[in-house]
Amino acid sequence: MAENGGFEDPSAEVLAAAAATFGLLASSARLHLMWALAQGESDVTHLADRVGGALPAVSQHLAKLKLAGLVSSRREGRRQVYYIDDPDVVAVVRVLVGQLTARSQPASALVRQLHGARA
């Protein structure tokens, strides 16, 4: 492995696994589900309502995220409750979405100011 700036380059296997994980999160629907689950556990019905998706589609997205090890679930009576049990995954989702939100807000404010200046 090559070393660059004090860090060793990850193996091809690790890079492939990371790319596959980021590929799963490239779906805005799955990323929205991850964002919602980063805020706390929820059942599929509540998640579908929150993200505005059809129940079968949300279930399929959750199944893919679960298969990838990004989310876990447990049964509570008749409900399946989903959650993220890895604090690092929660941190990555919160940082990524938080940074992009922060970056978009000043641009939106500038656009509103420019539109207001033209009026």
Side-chain angles (χ1 to χ4, degrees), residues 1-4 6-19 22:
M1 286 190 199
E3 192 170 314
N4 188 10
F7 295 98
E8 287 188 10
D9 285 345
S11 68
E13 293 81 17
V14 168
L15 290 171
F22 282 119

Side-chain angles (χ1 to χ4, degrees), residues 104-117:
S104 71
Q105 288 174 345
S108 297
L110 179 60
V111 169
R112 283 192 300 272
Q113 286 175 349
L114 289 174
H115 284 297

